[in-house]
Amino acid sequence: MILITGGAGYIGAHVALELLARNEDVLILDNLCNSQRSAIERISTLAGQRPGFIQGDVRNRRLLDTLLRDYPIDAVVHCAGLKAVGESVHEPLRYYDNNVGGSLTLCQAMAQAGVFTLVFSSSATVYGDCCTMPINESCATGQPTNPYGMSKLMAENIMQSVASSDPRWSIGLLRYFNPIGAHPSGLLGEAPLNMPNNLLPFLLQVASGQREYLSVFGNDYPTADGTGVRDYIHIVDLAQGHLCALDALRERSGVNIWNLGTGRGYSVLELVKSFEQVSGVPIALQFKARRPGDVTCCWADPQKAADELGWRASRSLQDMLTDAWRWQCSQLETEWIREAN
Ligand code: NAD
Ligand code: UFG
């Protein structure tokens, strides 16, 4: 059985769905601080079977000990965490407590229970302002410019240390680039509870009339059109990468780092233009100053994951945007039906 912390969230829910599709037993632990119970219903509908679900906190050691004792868990995918970069600057202690404290407690409980296989949701943010593109796993980690990024790097360091101390550990640090999109059914996607920070969720709210315009943060970067370039990856490709990592970890020990990206970067304006093409909806833009802490470019070298995991992202930017727009439209429809009743 696989325990997924944060499995009601955007990434964890897609990982749960892929694991269920492969007939794995799944137990989700989530405190629902940034997700809703309805995600579990949606996973169940799509998978045709229910994952186990426990509402609780990954920092709760007693709860973890009980779960690891009472369920036949042999691996953990650790997605639980807070992820809003701007918020982390204002509430650093909450971010360190959750992201570092949660990872520490999880590792302690796993070690005690004798469960040593762990896949961790890390981030390309740990590379900091890396100036060689594409970024491969041997690039040095940088100095993240915000507490969120720092908390990911600290959690990675804890995992590196525990793995060095005991050869039974087998850990995959998955450094995600920019996950976007939704399940092609339109039933599962990202549902930000507050004002979205990320480009695509914000753009979708503009497209659906919930916001007036999209702010483009900086058009004076040294890129082809002056806007920032990122490696956007379809959420289903990303989720499948976790299954490949779990499989590979059965044959490996120590810490393994894998970038999960496509290897191709798109600028903000390229992404907006592609979205307009796939949706037929024009997006109003306002150009603003650069967002503090943003890097100019960030895209992956995905070769190590291809060689060691046999995994490559296969879905195009158009797929990502089509699926995201389908999800946004289905969300709005659900809201209209709820309001009409
Ligand atoms: P999300 O907010 O949708 O999902 C995180 C889930 O964890 C939520 O359901 C939340 O309720 C839960 N959670 C948070 N703290 C918890 C705790 N202490 N105990 C139990 N549950 C808790 O975010 P996501 O996009 O699915 O991200 C998943 C992970 O991937 C996070 O750790 C995030 O930092 C990392 N990550 C995300 C991105 C991205 O762009 N989405 C990029 C790089 C890394
Ligand atoms: N952007 C805008 N307008 C917006 C939002 C973003 O122009 O309203 C721009 C940003 O300046 C950047 C690009 O769109 O150039 C992408 O920004 P996102 O906020 O979508 O993503 P980031 O690359 O800043 O960060 C994301 C996650 C981090 C993760 C990182 C890994 O938020 O958690 O990807 O690469 F660490």
Side-chain angles (χ1 to χ4, degrees):
M1 172 177 268
I2 315 287
L3 172 67
I4 308 179
T5 73
Y10 176 47
I11 295 170
H14 284 86
V15 174
L17 190 55
E18 293 299 319
L19 283 168
L20 289 168
R22 207 172 74 166
N23 278 324
E24 301 264 8
D25 288 329
V26 171
L27 177 66
I28 288 174
L29 170 68
D30 199 303
N31 65 3
L32 302 183
C33 71
N34 195 38
S35 54
Q36 290 171 329
R37 196 176 279 267
S38 59
I40 308 297
E41 303 308 323
R42 289 164 184 268
I43 296 168
S44 307
T45 305
L46 285 169
Q49 53 178 311
R50 269 192 106 67
F53 174 61
I54 306 289
Q55 182 171 351
D57 201 294
V58 74
R59 291 164 294 179
N60 182 339
R61 175 68 193 271
R62 227 161 6 148
L63 174 62
L64 286 180
D65 288 344
T66 308
L67 297 183
L68 289 161
R69 186 193 64 212
D70 292 352
Y71 292 85
I73 294 164
D74 46 31
V76 179
V77 178
H78 179 36
C79 297
L82 302 175
K83 64 166 181 176
V85 172
E87 189 180 69
S88 78
V89 175
H90 300 290
E91 300 177 66
L93 293 176
R94 192 155 80 88
Y95 272 69
Y96 288 121
D97 183 35
N98 203 333
N99 295 1
V100 183
S103 301
L104 188 60
T105 306
L106 178 65
C107 289
Q108 287 166 334
M110 287 176 69
Q112 180 163 314
V115 176
F116 291 102
T117 305
L118 173 63
V119 170
F120 176 56
S121 290
S122 190
S123 168
T125 196
V126 301
Y127 292 114
D129 206 353
C130 177
C131 43
T132 44
M133 293 296 142
I135 301 177
N136 68 41
E137 292 83 349
S138 52
C139 291
T141 51
Q143 185 69 8
T145 50
N146 55 72
Y148 164 74
M150 197 56 108
S151 74
K152 287 283 155 190
L153 190 53
M154 287 165 81
E156 279 201 1
N157 288 338
I158 290 170
M159 290 168 195
Q160 297 267 12
S161 303
V162 298
S164 310
S165 73
D166 185 334
R168 288 174 295 175
W169 282 98
S170 182
I171 299 179
L173 304 178
L174 302 187
R175 293 182 177 162
Y176 309 153
F177 282 68
N178 289 54
I180 61 168
H183 191 266
S185 62
L187 274 182
L188 203 58
E190 187 168 18
L193 293 182
N194 301 310
M195 168 112 112
N197 303 281
N198 297 120
L199 177 61
L200 190 64
F202 204 101
L203 184 158
L204 292 170
Q205 295 195 352
V206 176
S208 55
Q210 293 161 271
R211 299 188 191 275
E212 229 179 296
Y213 61 87
L214 174 73
S215 301
V216 176
F217 297 134
N219 60 349
D220 57 351
Y221 283 107
T223 61
D225 62 21
T227 64
V229 171
R230 296 291 184 276
D231 184 339
Y232 298 97
I233 172 169
H234 196 294
I235 184 69
V236 174
D237 280 329
L238 187 91
Q240 288 171 350
H242 292 68
L243 274 66
C244 297
L246 281 167
D247 291 343
L249 290 178
R250 290 186 216 288
E251 317 286 313
R252 290 166 172 270
S253 63
V255 167
N256 302 268
I257 301 174
W258 292 297
N259 283 343
L260 295 186
T262 66
R264 160 103 215 244
Y266 289 94
S267 73
V268 175
L269 292 181
E270 282 176 316
L271 184 138
V272 171
K273 196 162 157 228
S274 290
F275 178 81
E276 291 178 327
Q277 278 163 358
V278 304
S279 66
V281 180
I283 300 296
L285 300 180
Q286 282 198 13
F287 291 97
K288 301 274 175 67
R290 293 181 183 192
R291 190 171 62 176
D294 272 357
V295 298
T296 304
C297 291
C298 180
W299 71 88
D301 177 348
Q303 195 56 45
K304 185 166 184 272
D307 293 343
E308 296 180 2
L309 303 180
W311 171 92
R312 251 189 204 286
S314 62
R315 292 161 179 83
S316 67
L317 184 67
Q318 281 69 25
D319 297 331
M320 302 177 211
L321 298 173
T322 304
D323 291 338
W325 183 227
R326 186 183 299 110
W327 157 250
Q328 181 75 7
C329 294
S330 82
Q331 288 278 94
L332 284 180
E333 238 168 71
T334 315
E335 252 169 59
W336 290 332
I337 293 167
R338 203 181 302 124
E339 278 168 21
N341 292 324

